[in-house]
């Protein structure tokens, strides 16, 4: 088969001039994951969205993002990474404009799903462009260091920006803000970036995309409907069964097609499987905490949106201190489960702390403690899981393995929010039914719902810690034997596979 020679990286000055525009795309994706959270109470009131449906504003984005990530990476690799980058930026801007102008729940939901779909193309194309633009070891380390800093800071910026925009303008500007960012990134990217693509003809595993997307949507929707319809309803049971069948069909398809979307060997390894599981379960606590603590502070405590955003900063700080001050130093010296398991237990303690919250609980004794525990635990889990997500893979699978861990993050967040919101709203409704309506009872009912969801989340994290402790038996790096450093499982790069070292996955998880 004829191949095309990869284009040479652009000159040094042009490379560094292109980096800000790639970084802007990353900032927009990360920012969008948190900026809308702060605006949720305001947009819920404005569009008259029920408590049971509010979670779909977040879930529509994460579900579309997570289920289409692998396909987005393949499209970027084969159609051209610069082209995919520009198309995704303009599509994301258009979806944001649609969401900002939404006149009702359905229109906003459609816009959020479109944002997730274009984000699933934008994230892989931006990361791949970064990889092919900076190839020298020193430049690459510096560029990816800047990329990591943008990812870490983007979540905190989103919290503050969401509060300021909602307070001083309107919740719609939490979506409109993406338009100027996307336009600047597109104009600069068009001028500065060099086109690159994977050699060979494109082969997209659409037979794999359809069942995995349909299966995940069915499971998440069933979880969200369990609150109003009941877990024993025919609709919920039917959707769960359909989701399981579709995911089983996906596994069957992936075992038989020549170029699978997700080679099963990637997830079958105990170390990588443990890493994906740890990420998926950890974000249940993180995403759930953002949702419930946002409503606790704004609805129960009466905080303004900007004060709520500032009140979340200790969690972001705890993640950075834990990851940078402890985990990165211990990672080369201890087994991965020696960090992940304690991290999951610490995070579960943060969710359990939500059981102590009452309407009158001071910030320092309630929300602050929960945030610090959650942030410290997440800082022990995420760097380790991301590091071991590509453990032992061949060059042809490195990009897919990286994408899979980011998919686990997005899908874990989708399922977690749907499940925990269902539990919270059901507990709130039960409390109101038994205590009667009044403003004080309504506030207490919300707190009871958040506590019930926190207890379930803590239980899930504890079970996850036990599973990782048993499953992820990888020793610490210096004790790995020579046999563990045998040639990778799939050293050859099959025709049509992702280029070595390029990740078609999403960007690093936001705080």
């Amino acid at each position: 088969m004829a191949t095309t020679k990869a284009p040479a990286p652009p000159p040094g000055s042009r490379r560094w001039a292109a980096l800000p525009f790639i970084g802007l795309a990353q900032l927009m994706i990360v920012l969008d994951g948190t900026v809308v959270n702060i605006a949720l109470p305001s947009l819920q009131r404005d569009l008259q969205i029920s408590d049971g449906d509010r979670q779909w504003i977040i879930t529509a984005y994460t579900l579309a993002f997570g289920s289409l990530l692998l396909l987005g990476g393949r499209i970027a690799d084969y159609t051209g990474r610069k082209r995919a980058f520009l198309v995704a930026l303009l599509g994301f801007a258009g979806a944001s404009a649609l969401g900002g102008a939404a006149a009702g729940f359905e229109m906003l939901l459609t816009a959020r799903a479109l944002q997730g779909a274009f984000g699933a193309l934008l994230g892989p194309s931006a990361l791949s462009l970064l990889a092919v633009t900076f190839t020298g070891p020193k430049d690459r380390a510096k560029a990816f260091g800047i990329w990591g800093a943008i990812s870490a800071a983007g979540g905190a910026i989103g919290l503050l920006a969401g509060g300021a925009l909602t307070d001083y303008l309107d919740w719609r500007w939490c979506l409109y803000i993406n338009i100027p960012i996307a336009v600047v990134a597109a104009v600069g990217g068009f001028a500065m970036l060099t086109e690159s693509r994977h050699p060979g003809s494109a082969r997209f595993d659409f037979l794999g995309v359809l069942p995995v997307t349909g299966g995940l949507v069915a499971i998440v929707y069933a979880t969200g409907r369990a609150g109003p319809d009941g877990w024993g309803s025919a609709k919920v049971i039917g959707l769960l069964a359909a989701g399981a069948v579709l995911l089983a069909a996906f596994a069957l398809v992936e075992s038989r097609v020549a170029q699978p979307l997700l080679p099963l060997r990637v997830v079958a390894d105990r170390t990588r499987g443990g890493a994906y599981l740890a990420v998926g379960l950890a974000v249940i606590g993180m995403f759930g905490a953002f949702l419930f603590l946002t409503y606790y502070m704004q609805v129960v405590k009466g905080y303004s949106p900007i004060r709520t955003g500032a009140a979340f900063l200790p969690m972001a700080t705890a993640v950075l201190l834990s990851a940078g001050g402890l985990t990165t130093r211990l990672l080369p010296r201890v087994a991965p489960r020696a960090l992940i398991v304690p991290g999951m237990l610490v995070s579960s303690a943060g969710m359990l702390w939500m059981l102590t919250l009452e309407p009158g609980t001071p910030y320092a004794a309630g929300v602050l403690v929960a945030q610090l525990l959650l942030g410290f635990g997440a800082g022990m889990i995420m760097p380790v899981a991301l590091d071991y997500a590509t453990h032992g893979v061949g060059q042809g699978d490195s990009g897919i393995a990286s994408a899979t861990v980011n998919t686990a993050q997005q899908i874990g967040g989708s399922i977690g929010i749907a499940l925990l919101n269902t539990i919270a709203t059901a507990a709130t409704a039960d409390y109101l039914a038994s205590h009667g309506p009044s403003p004080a009872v309504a506030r207490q009912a919300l707190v009871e719902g958040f506590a019930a969801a926190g207890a379930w989340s803590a239980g899930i994290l504890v079970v996850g810690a036990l599973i990782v402790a048993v499953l992820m038996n990888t020793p610490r790096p210096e004790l790995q034997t020579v046999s563990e450093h045998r040639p990778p499982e799939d050293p050859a790069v099959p025709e049509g596979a992702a280029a070595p070292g390029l990740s078609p996955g999403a960007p690093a998880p936001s705080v």
Side-chain angles (χ1 to χ4, degrees):
M1 180 191 72
T3 60
T4 59
K5 184 178 180 181
S13 59
R14 188 174 176 185
R15 288 203 308 272
W16 292 109
L19 179 59
F21 303 110
I22 302 176
L24 273 178
Q26 166 71 351
L27 176 64
M28 185 175 66
I29 294 173
V30 175
L31 185 148
D32 204 71
T34 54
V35 69
V36 176
N37 285 65
I38 301 300
L40 264 179
S42 298
L43 71 85
Q44 183 182 358
R45 289 192 301 268
D46 193 15
L47 299 182
Q48 298 181 347
I49 301 171
S50 69
D51 287 346
D53 287 337
R54 67 189 175 197
Q55 53 95 6
W56 287 106
I57 305 303
I58 304 299
T59 302
Y61 176 82
T62 58
L63 184 58
F65 199 144
S67 60
L68 295 174
L69 263 173
L70 299 177
L71 179 63
R74 291 297 197 201
I75 291 174
D77 279 343
Y78 284 106
T79 64
R81 300 177 182 106
K82 177 180 177 179
R83 178 183 298 173
F85 179 78
L86 298 177
V87 169
L89 279 170
L90 297 178
F92 201 99
S96 300
L98 179 66
F105 174 62
E106 293 78 9
M107 186 174 174
L108 180 59
L109 197 65
T110 301
R112 290 290 286 165
L114 287 172
Q115 279 187 308
F118 283 109
L121 180 61
L122 180 60
S125 59
L127 192 56
S128 295
L129 282 168
L130 190 72
V132 299
T133 301
F134 297 92
T135 55
K138 182 179 288 189
D139 285 352
R140 187 179 179 89
K142 184 176 180 181
F144 274 87
I146 295 172
W147 177 273
I150 292 172
S151 299
I157 293 172
L159 293 170
L160 291 174
L165 291 170
T166 304
D167 252 358
Y168 299 123
L169 294 172
D170 186 78
W171 65 264
R172 298 178 185 276
W173 282 95
C174 292
L175 294 162
Y176 287 145
I177 190 64
N178 292 321
I179 300 173
I181 297 175
V183 170
V184 171
V187 172
F190 179 80
M192 295 297 174
L193 290 170
T194 300
E195 184 62 281
S196 68
R197 60 171 54 88
H198 192 283
S201 59
R203 294 183 180 180
F204 300 124
D205 179 21
F206 289 112
L207 288 178
V209 173
L210 296 176
V212 72
T213 303
L216 292 171
V217 169
I219 290 174
V220 174
Y221 185 68
T223 307
R225 293 302 307 172
D229 297 341
W231 288 100
S233 71
K235 178 188 290 186
V236 171
I237 294 174
L239 285 168
L240 290 174
V245 170
L246 287 170
L247 292 180
F250 170 70
L252 180 63
V253 168
E254 297 306 279
S255 68
R256 300 195 173 197
V257 297
Q259 297 295 333
L261 193 66
L262 175 60
L264 297 183
R265 61 180 173 270
V266 172
V267 296
D269 178 79
R270 291 179 66 164
T271 298
R272 294 193 297 271
Y276 304 148
L277 180 66
V279 169
L281 292 175
V283 297
I284 291 177
M286 292 293 289
F287 277 59
F290 273 128
L291 179 65
F292 300 132
L293 291 179
T294 294
Y295 275 85
Y296 174 77
M297 286 189 278
Q298 290 194 42
V299 178
V300 178
K301 301 292 288 184
Y303 287 11
S304 66
I306 193 169
R307 185 181 178 188
T308 302
F312 269 118
L313 292 181
M315 182 187 290
T317 304
V319 173
L320 294 175
L321 292 177
S322 173
L326 175 67
T327 303
T328 55
R329 297 184 182 185
L330 292 179
L331 183 56
R333 305 175 186 175
V334 302
R337 62 182 172 186
L339 287 168
I340 292 178
V341 171
M344 296 184 82
L345 295 176
V346 171
S347 294
S348 70
M351 295 307 295
L352 282 175
W353 195 263
M354 294 182 66
L355 274 69
T356 69
L357 297 181
E358 297 291 341
T361 303
Y363 171 81
V367 172
L368 179 61
V369 176
Q371 286 192 48
L372 293 177
L373 289 170
L374 282 163
F376 194 85
M380 296 175 69
I381 298 167
M382 300 305 292
V384 185
L386 292 172
D387 183 62
Y388 279 88
T390 56
H391 177 83
V393 297
Q395 287 185 333
D397 288 337
S398 60
I400 294 298
S402 177
T404 303
V405 73
N406 287 282
T407 301
Q409 178 196 10
Q410 298 295 333
I411 297 303
S414 300
I415 295 174
I417 288 179
L419 174 64
L420 296 176
N421 189 70
T422 296
I423 293 169
T425 53
T428 296
D430 290 344
Y431 190 90
L432 287 172
S434 59
H435 290 77
S438 75
V441 170
R443 287 193 295 271
Q444 185 63 44
L446 285 174
V447 172
E448 293 293 328
F450 302 155
W456 273 88
S457 178
I460 292 170
L461 288 168
V462 169
V463 171
L466 295 174
I467 295 173
V468 171
V470 174
L471 178 67
M472 202 173 186
N473 60 347
T474 311
R476 67 177 186 261
E478 62 264 30
L479 292 185
Q480 292 181 14
T481 63
V482 175
S483 64
E484 289 175 307
H485 290 286
R486 63 188 182 277
E489 302 162 8
D490 181 37
V493 181
E495 179 184 345
L502 300 185
S503 169
S510 62
V511 175

